[in-house]
Amino acid sequence: MQRQSLKFTIRLNREQNMVNDLTVPSHLISMEGEPTIPNSSTLGGSLETTPQDPFSSMEGEETHNVGDEENQAENAQNQLVLYDPSVAIEAVPDSVAHQPPSFSRFPFSIQPSRVLPAVGAFTVQCANCFKWRLIPSKEKYEEIREHITEQPFLCETAREWRSDVSCDDAPDLVQDESRLWAIDKPNIAKPPRGWERLLRIRGEGSNKFADVYYIAPTGKRLRSTVEIQKYLEKHPEYIEEGVTMSQFSFQVPKPLQENYVKKRRPHSAPSCNAIDHGTSAPDPSKAITWVVSDEDTNLQLGGWAGLSTPILEHESQPAKKKRTPTKHRFNGNLVYNQHEVSVEQSPQL
DNA sequence: GCCACCGGTGGC
DNA sequence: GCCACCGGTGGC
């Protein structure tokens, strides 16, 4: 029945300031290894109901549905939220904001990045009341995510960093349309000590939602299990320290927004018609929300990116050059691939 | 020259 | 359709 979700928020960087680092903690994602067995509690299906949120005004559709389980199920579990830093921060209830030192500012380091949306904060959904609770650090989030099925998250769990919070308190955030939401995978192993797992969210319209990278202690960036394996072979010292392949997972969260990721086009259909560009284009007036979830376990980790900006406005001039003309041929909205571009450019916030 | 990022494909 | 992998290159 209850399902919980973890989410982290991401913020997009519009400028450079961003967040990159916010990259979603990799941990959010589950490791390939074996997932733990889900307990009934997490998996279950029902969803959550979300109360109204205090801080945000969005309408939100919350996740509710208690009754139906299906859809929601997914959402409810672990979700990662990505959001705009500024937004996110404000959204944090005061109580939270004050508490841990880490809350007031992002625990993650921010580096200038080029532009893509990044995770700015992490949240997890209470298995009992389904309210989302902000997690003060990426490390804590990874910890929770790693054992989310065996140890469902409860509001009481948050007392570790936020004294007296309970299910009676308003949610720290509400899943609404103001941000991009992504559902994270449960039970992803924490990276080995000295290693870092980075989640890079791609821009809207890309053919993939995100990429996971592991940064080895030497600073080497590894992008697949094959690369990790080769790296470990060359550096047996890590193996001696106990590093194993089961500690790495390249699973990425899934965006809730259906059209965030471009669908793969059937090769055969080069015609423009076949493509749906536009219709699904996000409403520029609102931020994008995405959520990723693990269907198997039903856990959701959430993340949202509050872009206030429309990611796509066609216009945009690409910040980067595009390399493939093909896609753009359908211009119009389609071109979102570059959305990142627009994101960064957008001044908002 | 490097590398973060994106696209595209093979395999399921 | 999804995911893992990795080639290629824009942007620095």
Side-chain angles (χ1 to χ4, degrees):
Chain A
M1 4 209 87
Q2 29 197 43
R3 36 172 87 200
Q4 314 179 293
S5 10
L6 305 181
K7 38 170 111 175
F8 40 90
T9 46
I10 298 175
R11 33 176 168 181
L12 312 181
N13 338 308
R14 301 164 174 199
E15 329 183 352
Q16 35 203 39
N17 34 275
M18 338 293 296
V19 186
N20 325 318
D21 39 32
L22 305 188
T23 52
V24 179
S26 28
H27 338 55
L28 296 183
I29 303 176
S30 51
M31 300 228 29
E32 40 186 341
E34 58 282 86
T36 16
I37 309 141
N39 301 348
S40 49
S41 58
T42 25
L43 303 186
S46 38
L47 308 232
E48 59 230 292
T49 337
T50 326
Q52 64 284 23
D53 80 340
F55 0 138
S56 61
S57 52
M58 326 210 114
E59 39 198 342
E61 16 195 344
E62 8 194 334
T63 19
H64 36 346
N65 43 30
V66 185
D68 342 283
E69 332 69 281
E70 321 197 7
N71 350 337
Q72 307 261 345
E74 325 184 345
N75 311 334
Q77 297 228 330
N78 312 310
Q79 308 187 332
L80 308 182
V81 181
L82 312 180
Y83 61 81
D84 181 277
S86 39
V87 175
I89 294 178
E90 303 175 13
V92 179
D94 311 356
S95 44
V96 176
H98 305 157
Q99 312 272 359
S102 41
F103 256 128
S104 30
R105 51 182 67 203
F106 284 98
F108 319 102
S109 52
I110 295 177
Q111 316 174 6
S113 64
R114 299 191 176 177
V115 183
L116 305 180
V119 176
F122 306 89
T123 62
V124 182
Q125 193 172 43
C126 172
N128 287 335
C129 69
F130 304 118
K131 290 173 184 169
W132 291 99
R133 296 296 172 203
L134 289 166
I135 306 303
S137 68
K138 176 180 176 178
E139 292 65 33
K140 177 55 66 178
Y141 179 84
E142 293 180 331
E143 224 177 274
I144 294 170
R145 182 181 56 183
E146 184 171 26
H147 304 291
I148 190 71
T149 51
E150 321 104 83
Q151 294 174 36
F153 178 84
L154 302 173
C155 287
E156 291 68 47
T157 309
R159 289 181 184 165
E160 186 182 321
W161 59 84
R162 187 178 168 191
S163 57
D164 48 357
V165 62
S166 76
C167 293
D168 295 330
D169 295 315
D172 292 351
L173 15 123
V174 174
Q175 196 176 313
D176 56 37
E177 300 178 352
S178 62
R179 328 183 181 251
L180 291 172
W181 284 76
I183 298 178
D184 203 354
K185 307 284 182 171
N187 308 318
I188 293 181
K190 289 168 61 173
R193 193 174 295 287
W195 291 66
E196 184 178 10
R197 185 176 189 261
L198 294 180
L199 176 66
R200 304 310 298 257
I201 309 283
R202 291 191 177 192
E204 183 172 9
S206 184
N207 48 17
K208 289 174 54 179
F209 176 60
D211 295 293
V212 172
Y213 300 99
Y214 277 89
I215 307 301
T218 56
K220 175 78 174 168
R221 185 176 174 124
L222 305 167
R223 54 188 189 155
S224 68
T225 53
V226 174
E227 290 186 2
I228 300 252
Q229 227 155 359
K230 290 179 181 172
Y231 182 85
L232 292 177
E233 286 168 12
K234 288 186 182 175
H235 300 271
E237 62 269 27
Y238 295 116
I239 295 176
E240 292 164 15
E241 290 175 8
V243 174
T244 68
M245 292 304 296
S246 65
Q247 293 173 288
F248 301 91
S249 172
F250 287 88
Q251 288 185 279
V252 300
K254 288 188 178 182
L256 270 200
Q257 181 181 308
E258 226 164 280
N259 303 298
Y260 190 86
V261 175
K262 180 176 60 182
K263 309 261 186 205
R264 190 173 173 178
R265 209 194 297 173
H267 332 293
S268 51
S271 64
C272 306
N273 322 339
I275 304 175
D276 62 322
H277 338 315
T279 11
S280 22
D283 176 343
S285 62
K286 43 182 90 167
I288 299 160
T289 321
W290 65 63
V291 178
V292 182
S293 73
D294 173 57
E295 280 130 26
D296 300 343
T297 56
N298 290 325
L299 298 182
Q300 302 181 333
L301 304 179
W304 82 31
L307 308 180
S308 26
T309 328
I311 277 188
L312 10 161
E313 324 213 329
H314 347 38
E315 43 115 339
S316 55
Q317 34 278 31
K320 308 182 169 187
K321 314 178 168 187
K322 335 184 156 190
R323 359 184 138 161
T324 2
T326 5
K327 319 191 159 169
H328 303 355
R329 46 170 119 166
F330 315 118
N331 50 16
N333 339 324
L334 291 215
V335 191
Y336 314 162
N337 331 347
Q338 313 300 128
H339 48 27
E340 24 186 341
V341 174
S342 48
V343 173
E344 43 186 344
Q345 299 182 325
S346 47
Q348 51 247 328
L349 318 184

